[in-house]
């Protein structure tokens, strides 16, 4: 296992696969490096770098839950690039990872060669926020991976029709770990506290300002056709504000596409090749 230490002393996990031009993969809010397990096999000609944010996966938890925020996580990403000696990378950001990519565009645009946003924009639909808050920081009810897989398949059937149970079994393993007491989440439960406190304090930045920092950076957006996080109106406004933006809608996918869909892979390739 590979770790680096941040300037505030946190040990964060990262992994690398493949070789070629570097691509930094930033996962969803509660996710980890395994979020990109379905994409990485298709990208052997790139140096795929993925990290676990503080408090997620195999990275160290932070006793100050206030540090679970987009700006701190963007700073951690820059520190990882510095640790690896990488001046410039492409970024693929799923959900929270896309928000971090926008923050990086605002603070360190010179470090970004290109950006792919996976089912995320500057505005998150209210139904998506409600769904996210319905599960973040709540201990799993399922006792085994098999139970969790069935629960995921049932919960996601409308947004992800036809996805086989085997895929949901993999997702269940990515998101949970089996213990003698049942399943446990692979992230700090304090993440929920952080979200609630930040919302109450009005500490959420205007992401449109961050998104507009991408104007001079090759950028693509992948939207799940059934997404309740990235709305069609938001995507249309993103195109208006970023004339060079390219996007694709993935059928039979909600929030968020797995990134191994043909439409996703084609867009990722096109954006990376535009550098």
């Amino acid at each position: 296992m590979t770790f680096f230490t941040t300037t505030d002393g946190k040990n964060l996990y990262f992994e690398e696969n493949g070789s070629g031009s570097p691509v930094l993969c930033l996962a969803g809010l509660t996710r980890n490096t395994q979020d990109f397990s379905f994409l990485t096999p298709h990208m052997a000609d790139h140096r795929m770098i993925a990290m676990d944010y503080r408090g997620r996966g195999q990275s160290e938890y932070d006793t100050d839950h206030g540090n679970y925020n987009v700006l701190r996580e963007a700073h951690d990403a820059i520190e990882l690039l510095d640790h690896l000696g990488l001046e410039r990378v492409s970024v693929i950001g799923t959900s929270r990872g896309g928000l971090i990519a926008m923050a990086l565009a605002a603070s360190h645009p010179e470090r970004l060669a290109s950006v792919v946003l996976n089912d995320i924009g500057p505005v998150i639909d209210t139904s998506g926020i409600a769904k996210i808050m319905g599960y973040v920081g709540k201990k799993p009810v399922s006792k085994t991976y098999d139970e969790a897989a069935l629960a995921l398949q049932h919960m996601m059937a409308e947004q992800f029709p036809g996805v086989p149970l085997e895929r949901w079994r993999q997702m269940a393993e990515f998101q949970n770990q089996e213990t003698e007491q049942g399943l446990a989440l692979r992230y700090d439960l304090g993440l929920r506290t952080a979200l609630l406190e930040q919302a109450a304090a009005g500490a959420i930045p205007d992401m449109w300002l961050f998104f507009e920092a991408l104007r001079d950076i090759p950028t693509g957006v992948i939207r799940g056709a059934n997404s309740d996080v990235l709305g069609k109106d938001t995507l249309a406004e993103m195109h208006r504000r970023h004339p060079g933006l390219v996007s694709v809608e993935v059928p039979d996918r909600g929030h968020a596409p797995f990134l191994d869909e043909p439409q996703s892979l084609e867009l990722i390739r096109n954006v990376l090749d535009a550098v």
Side-chain angles (χ1 to χ4, degrees), residues 114-115 211-212 214-221 235-248 267 270-271 274:
S114 63
V115 170
F211 173 77
E212 289 174 358
L214 290 167
R215 280 180 62 92
D216 296 325
I217 299 170
T219 304
V221 178
L235 181 56
E237 181 64 12
M238 292 165 73
H239 275 283
R240 191 186 73 79
R241 298 195 190 202
H242 189 319
L245 186 73
V246 294
S247 66
V248 67
L267 181 135
N270 289 339
V271 173

Side-chain angles (χ1 to χ4, degrees), residues 29-30 126-141 155 185 187 192 195-196 228:
L29 174 67
T30 62
T126 54
S127 59
I129 292 175
K131 187 176 75 175
I132 291 167
M133 292 310 299
Y135 69 78
V136 171
K138 295 186 177 180
K139 295 181 179 180
V141 175
M155 180 175 67
L185 296 171
Y187 63 88
R192 180 181 182 83
L195 294 175
L196 292 173
D228 57 3

Side-chain angles (χ1 to χ4, degrees), residues 158-221:
E158 185 174 350
Q159 286 194 352
F160 291 80
V163 173
L165 184 61
E166 179 185 359
R167 175 59 61 97
W168 296 121
R169 177 61 153 73
Q170 291 173 291
M171 294 297 292
E173 291 186 28
F174 295 168
Q175 298 172 27
N176 306 280
Q177 54 188 340
E178 282 188 325
T179 72
E180 292 181 356
Q181 292 75 39
L183 295 185
L185 296 171
R186 294 188 186 272
Y187 63 88
D188 185 355
L189 299 182
L191 183 58
R192 180 181 182 83
T193 303
L195 294 175
L196 292 173
E197 290 179 350
Q198 290 160 22
I204 301 172
D206 181 357
M207 295 307 299
W208 280 115
L209 296 177
F210 288 8
F211 173 77
E212 289 174 358
L214 290 167
R215 280 180 62 92
D216 296 325
I217 299 170
T219 304
V221 178

